[in-house]
Amino acid sequence: MIDLSPINIEDHTFLCVSVVLPKTNLLVVTSDKGYIMCGALDVALLNEKLKDRKVIAGRAVGVKTIEQLLEAPLESVTYEAEALGIHKGMSGKDALLKMV
């Protein structure tokens, strides 16, 4: 099952995407500039092999719901996210607010 729903954080609208798969869920919250995602996100791949795409993204591990993804500290972020002031340990919600 795939669920798409908007969420409002401090007067900014983001899109939440949840994909229910066997034994796991893929979770993403995105803005027009970038996104945060569950542990399935490969930040090293984005930073190394896809560096020319300049993806703004952060990864949180151990999350099972969108709510947890918003509150969890980011475990890793892309170089482009760092350039916006997004850093490891920042909550997903705070990272998203830097992506507007």
Side-chain angles (χ1 to χ4, degrees):
M1 179 174 81
I2 299 172
D3 180 61
L4 302 171
S5 59
I7 189 169
N8 194 2
I9 302 171
E10 294 185 17
D11 295 324
H12 300 286
T13 302
F14 302 90
L15 179 63
C16 301
V17 182
S18 300
V19 181
V20 177
L21 299 170
K23 301 183 183 181
T24 192
N25 295 329
L26 297 179
L27 304 169
V28 181
V29 182
T30 185
S31 74
D32 290 339
K33 286 186 181 179
Y35 58 92
I36 59 171
M37 189 171 169
C38 65
L41 179 65
D42 189 342
V43 171
L45 174 74
L46 296 175
N47 280 338
E48 296 163 17
K49 299 205 184 278
L50 304 178
K51 185 176 181 176
D52 60 317
R53 296 185 187 185
K54 299 183 179 186
V55 175
I56 298 168
R59 170 185 165 173
V61 295
V63 296
K64 295 180 181 178
T65 66
I66 292 292
E67 293 77 19
Q68 290 175 351
L69 179 59
L70 293 170
E71 297 303 321
L74 296 179
E75 178 266 343
S76 55
V77 301
T78 62
Y79 298 142
E80 293 297 318
E82 287 177 344
L84 285 179
I86 299 166
H87 55 83
K88 182 178 172 179
M90 175 180 277
S91 74
K93 178 181 170 182
D94 289 341
L96 286 168
L97 290 171
K98 291 192 173 281
M99 295 180 196
V100 294

